Amino acid sequence: MAQIKVDGKLVEVPDHFTLMQAAEAAGSEIPRFCYHERLSVAGNCRMCLVEVKGGPPKPQASCAMGVKDLRPAPDGSPPEMFTNTPMVKKAREGVMEFLLINHPLDCPICDQAGECDLQDQAMAFGLDGSRFAENKRSVDEKNLGPLIKTRMSRCIHCTRCVRFTTEIAGVSELGLLGRGEDAQITPYIERALSSELQGNVIDLCPVGALTSKPYSASARPWELVKTESIDVMDALGSAIRLDARGSEIMRIVPLLNEDINEEWISDKTRFIWDGLKSQRLDRPYVKKGKKIVEASWDEALNAVARKVKKAGNKVGAIAGDLAGVEEMYALKNMLNSLGSGNTDCRPAMSAIDPELDRSAYIFNPTIAGIEEADAILIIGANPRLEAAMLNARIRKAWRANDLPIAMVGEKVDLTYDYDYLGDDVDTLKALATGSHKFNKILKKAKKPLVILGEAAISHSSESKKLGRDILGMALMIANNAGAFSEKSAFSEKSALSESWNGFGLLHNAAGRVGGLDIGFVPHDGGVCSADQIKLAAKGELEVLFLLGADEFDMSAMGDAFVVYIGSHGDAGAHRADVILPAAAYTEKSATFVNTEGRVQITNRAIFPPNEAKEDWAIIRALSAKVGATLDFDNLTQLRAALYQEYPHLAEVNEILAGNISAVKKKAKIAAKTKNIQFKSAIKNYYLTNPIARASKVMGQCVQAADEIKQAAE
C-alpha cells in the first residue's frame, strides 16, 4: 500500500494505482475521454491533467502516472497531487478548446446528445467561447457495416474503439492512421467489422462519432422508459436495460454485472429489438381444412381441449430455447394431470440427464471463475458463436495469464491462440486415457477447466448412448487432471467456494437449465423430444404442444395435432393446427437459469401486442378447458408453488452448486464408441431463434458476414 495526499486529503491505496484511481479513492472527480477501466492506458486525450507537488512544473496525465512514480516530500511526508488548482483548471480549458476546434455543432441532430461525455465535460470544464475562427475539418464516413453509424468529423481520437476491438473483441480491424490533422480512426480494409461484440464501441465512444445505425434518429434518451432485465439470446443471462417508448422496445444496452458480462453485451443481444415487433403472433389462429384462420381465444382453446380430451394420455410437449421456468412448470403439471410424462426441453437425442447430479449439466466454475483457470480444454463447442461474452472472458484470461488452451472440435477462429488437437471421438478417448500430450499440461495446472459443448452430447442422428459416452470421457479427463478439488467444505449455496469444480457444460439456450432443474424431461414412462416426433409420425402421439419450440423437423410430425404457444410466426407456427399467441421475454416477468446455474428473472418492459398473453396464463386457461385445472390463478401463486417444490429457484442471482463426489462417479471411458466428428450446434450466429430470424438487422448482419467470407476466399 502507498499513501498520497489528494487535495489535502490523505488516502492509502495499492501501490499499483494510477493517480486517477487514487483521486477517485479520495472522492475527487477527474474528467477523461480516452481512459477506460477495462482497456489499456492510451494517455492521448490529456483531459485528466492534475498538478503534482514537487513534480515537473506542468500538469501531468493522471491516467498514465502511477502513485509509486511520485517522490515523497523532502521531510518524508507522502507525495501530494491537486485536481482543482488554477493550473489544472487552465490546462483543462485549453484541452477542451482544442478538442472543440474541429468538432461540428451537431448536438441538435446527434444521437449521442443527452448521453455525450464531450457535451457534459464541455459544460463542466470548458470555456464559454472559442478563439478558433477558421473552417472546421471534414472527415469521410467509414463503412463499418449494418450496426455502427459513423460521423467521423466528430471523432476526438480517444482510440477507445481501437483498443476495444483489438484487446477485448480480439479483431484487429480498426486503427488510427495518419498524423496531426490528417489522423483518422478507420478500418484497415473498407468493410464491415467481423466481431460479434462490435456494438460495444457505441457505448465506449465519448462523442457522437460511432452510434447505433438501427437506432439512428429514433428517439432521445429522456423519452425512454428504462427497465432492467436479462438477456435470453444465449445461455449466459447478461444484464441488460430495455429502453421502451410506448409499446415498442427502442434499444437494448448493457448493465454492469461483474459475474457474467462485465459491462459488454453481444451484438445479437443489443440489436435484436427490431425482431420483437416483426412477424409477431398477436391473435389466436385455428386451422380449418388446409387453411389457418383467425379465431377468438375461446374458440382456439375449445379446439385444443376437444383434441386433448380425445387423445387421453397420448399427449406430448416440447419446450423451446426461450421458454421460461414458469410456463414449463405449468405445462408439465397440466400434462401430469392428463397422465402423460412426455415432456422435454433438450435438443434431440441429448445425453443431458437431470437424474445425474446438477454439476453434470451446469457450468460449475462459473463465468467469472474462468479467470482463475490456468489451463482450458474446449470439447465440441465454439464459444465465440455459442456464448460470445464467455469467449471474451476466456480471451481476457488468456491475455492476462498466457494460459494454455486446447480445442477438440471444429477448427475456428476464437480470437485467441489454442492448440488444435483434432475433431473426433478418438482424440477425446486419447485424452481420457491419458495418452495425449496435452494431458501433461492439464495435470500441471492447479485449476484446469474442461468446457464441454452442448452439441457434443446431443446427436439427432445418433443414439443417446453416444452422448453419454462422450460426457463420461469429458468427466474422466477433468477427473484425471484434478479438476474436482474438495480441499474445503463444499458450499451448497454457492459455486463460488474455495473448492474447484473445473467441469463446465456450455448450454446454447436460455431456457435449458431451468427446464432441467424442474424436470421438464421424460418421466413416468414418457419419451424424449426426438421420440415424441417419431411417435407423432406413426400416429401414436395425437397431440403435441410446442412451447416456442422451432428448432425441430416440423415435417416429421405426421398427422399429429400440433399446438404452438409462442411469440413469433416461425417454423412451429407454420406447422401448427392451433396457434396461441404468447409474450416475448421483454413482455413478461419470467424465471431463467443460466448455464452456470444462476437463477435470474426478466422484467416486463412493455405489454404483449393485441390479444397475446403470457405463456403461463395461456396454459392455465387451457387446463380449465381440458378438465385438469391447475391450482394457481396468478403469477404469485404459481411462483409460490414453484418455490415450494424447487426452493433454489427462489434464490435470485444465486447458484446452487452441485456435488463434486456425485459427478466424479460418472467419469468413465466407454469401451466402444462410434468415432464421429464434433460440430458446433450454431451454424449462423445471427439466426439462432425466432426473434433473431424475424429481425431485419440480423438479416443484414448475415449478408455482411457472407460478403466478408467471400472476400476472404
Side-chain angles (χ1 to χ4, degrees), residues 217-229:
S218 297
R220 290 295 196 181
W222 54 84
E223 298 177 302
L224 305 175
V225 177
K226 301 169 177 63
T227 306
E228 294 186 7
S229 189

Side-chain angles (χ1 to χ4, degrees), residues 110-267:
C110 178
D111 280 329
Q112 199 85 359
E115 297 173 320
C116 179
D117 291 346
L118 184 64
Q119 198 176 51
D120 295 340
Q121 293 187 35
M123 289 292 293
F125 304 102
L127 292 166
D128 60 353
S130 173
R131 290 169 288 178
F132 188 79
E134 286 77 13
N135 293 328
K136 294 179 181 289
R137 75 167 188 166
S138 179
V139 182
D140 292 339
E141 308 309 340
K142 315 301 178 187
N143 175 25
L144 300 184
L147 303 180
I148 300 172
K149 178 181 177 181
T150 63
R151 286 290 183 270
M152 301 313 292
S153 296
R154 303 170 185 165
C155 180
I156 61 170
H157 303 157
C158 70
T159 69
R160 280 186 178 183
C161 54
V162 175
R163 284 174 285 148
F164 174 83
T165 54
T166 304
E167 299 168 8
I168 308 295
V171 178
S172 299
E173 295 177 344
L174 279 179
L176 177 63
L177 304 183
R179 299 182 65 187
E181 191 176 70
D182 296 326
Q184 294 185 34
I185 300 289
T186 180
Y188 299 120
I189 301 174
E190 192 77 16
R191 69 180 189 192
L193 300 182
S194 62
S195 173
E196 297 78 20
L197 305 177
Q198 61 182 278
N200 291 291
V201 301
I202 295 167
D203 298 328
L204 286 171
C205 185
V207 296
L210 304 176
T211 55
S212 172
K213 189 174 284 188
Y215 172 73
S216 177
S218 297
R220 290 295 196 181
W222 54 84
E223 298 177 302
L224 305 175
V225 177
K226 301 169 177 63
T227 306
E228 294 186 7
S229 189
I230 63 157
D231 172 53
V232 299
M233 292 298 110
D234 55 32
L236 300 189
S238 299
I240 59 173
R241 192 187 75 204
L242 304 169
D243 289 358
R245 184 177 63 187
S247 61
E248 287 187 38
I249 299 294
M250 302 301 294
R251 67 175 179 179
I252 298 173
V253 296
L255 290 177
L256 180 66
N257 187 330
E258 295 289 358
D259 293 330
I260 302 174
N261 60 304
E262 297 182 309
E263 59 189 89
W264 322 118
I265 52 174
S266 68
D267 292 342

Side-chain angles (χ1 to χ4, degrees), residues 171-395:
V171 178
S172 299
E173 295 177 344
L174 279 179
L176 177 63
L177 304 183
R179 299 182 65 187
E181 191 176 70
D182 296 326
Q184 294 185 34
I185 300 289
T186 180
Y188 299 120
I189 301 174
E190 192 77 16
R191 69 180 189 192
L193 300 182
S194 62
S195 173
E196 297 78 20
L197 305 177
Q198 61 182 278
N200 291 291
V201 301
I202 295 167
D203 298 328
L204 286 171
C205 185
V207 296
L210 304 176
T211 55
S212 172
K213 189 174 284 188
Y215 172 73
S216 177
S218 297
R220 290 295 196 181
W222 54 84
E223 298 177 302
L224 305 175
V225 177
K226 301 169 177 63
T227 306
E228 294 186 7
S229 189
I230 63 157
D231 172 53
V232 299
M233 292 298 110
D234 55 32
L236 300 189
S238 299
I240 59 173
R241 192 187 75 204
L242 304 169
D243 289 358
R245 184 177 63 187
S247 61
E248 287 187 38
I249 299 294
M250 302 301 294
R251 67 175 179 179
I252 298 173
V253 296
L255 290 177
L256 180 66
N257 187 330
E258 295 289 358
D259 293 330
I260 302 174
N261 60 304
E262 297 182 309
E263 59 189 89
W264 322 118
I265 52 174
S266 68
D267 292 342
K268 190 162 52 176
T269 299
R270 182 186 297 270
F271 296 105
I272 200 72
W273 51 267
D274 72 312
L276 292 166
K277 51 192 176 185
S278 301
Q279 298 185 14
R280 285 302 302 268
L281 301 173
D282 59 358
R283 54 181 57 85
Y285 290 87
V286 175
K287 184 175 284 186
K288 295 182 178 179
K290 292 186 178 181
K291 188 176 181 181
I292 196 156
V293 297
E294 293 182 21
S296 66
W297 269 106
D298 203 47
E299 184 181 356
L301 293 176
N302 285 333
V304 177
R306 285 193 297 270
K307 289 290 184 179
V308 170
K309 288 177 181 177
K310 184 179 177 182
N313 65 353
K314 294 181 180 180
V315 180
I318 302 174
D321 294 352
L322 308 183
V325 170
E326 286 83 359
E327 49 257 36
M328 285 190 280
Y329 179 73
L331 188 55
K332 178 189 172 186
N333 285 355
M334 188 180 80
L335 261 68
N336 286 346
S337 300
L338 297 172
S340 172
N342 294 320
T343 56
D344 205 358
C345 64
R346 304 167 298 177
M349 290 300 174
S350 174
I352 305 170
D353 188 354
E355 291 187 5
L356 300 174
D357 187 75
R358 195 171 194 251
S359 56
Y361 65 83
I362 64 172
F363 197 87
N364 296 282
T366 72
I367 297 166
I370 291 172
E371 296 182 39
E372 298 180 35
D374 47 7
I376 299 177
L377 173 64
I378 302 171
I379 303 170
N382 182 348
R384 182 174 177 181
L385 301 185
E386 296 173 26
M389 293 316 309
L390 182 139
N391 193 64
R393 187 80 74 154
I394 296 175
R395 175 176 167 79

Side-chain angles (χ1 to χ4, degrees), residues 423-491:
D423 65 350
D424 56 12
V425 172
D426 283 351
T427 304
L428 192 65
K429 191 173 289 186
L431 286 161
T433 57
S435 60
H436 200 284
K437 61 181 180 181
F438 195 74
N439 287 104
K440 295 179 181 179
I441 296 174
L442 288 174
K443 286 184 178 180
K444 286 181 182 178
K446 294 180 180 179
K447 291 186 175 182
L449 170 57
V450 176
I451 300 175
L452 180 63
E454 184 183 65
I457 55 174
S458 304
H459 303 278
S460 58
S461 59
E462 308 291 342
S463 66
K464 289 184 184 178
K465 182 181 181 303
L466 176 60
R468 294 192 187 103
D469 291 345
I470 293 170
L471 176 60
M473 285 189 281
L475 291 170
M476 177 61 79
I477 295 168
N479 190 38
N480 292 344
F484 301 126
S485 171
E486 296 179 278
K487 294 179 181 178
S488 62
F490 196 73
S491 166

Side-chain angles (χ1 to χ4, degrees), residues 496-569:
L496 301 173
S497 66
E498 293 180 11
S499 296
W500 175 255
N501 187 337
F503 173 76
L505 184 61
L506 180 57
H507 289 274
N508 299 322
R512 195 88 73 224
V513 177
L516 294 169
D517 276 354
I518 65 168
F520 199 88
V521 291
H523 58 280
D524 299 328
V527 296
C528 69
S529 56
D531 290 339
Q532 286 185 48
I533 294 173
K534 289 178 183 177
L535 291 177
K538 296 176 183 177
E540 297 176 20
L541 193 71
E542 297 182 14
V543 178
L544 183 58
F545 287 94
L546 299 179
L547 187 59
D550 297 274
E551 316 305 324
F552 294 87
D553 184 1
M554 301 298 166
S555 62
M557 295 178 183
D559 295 327
F561 188 82
V562 176
V563 181
Y564 182 77
I565 304 173
S567 59
H568 284 72

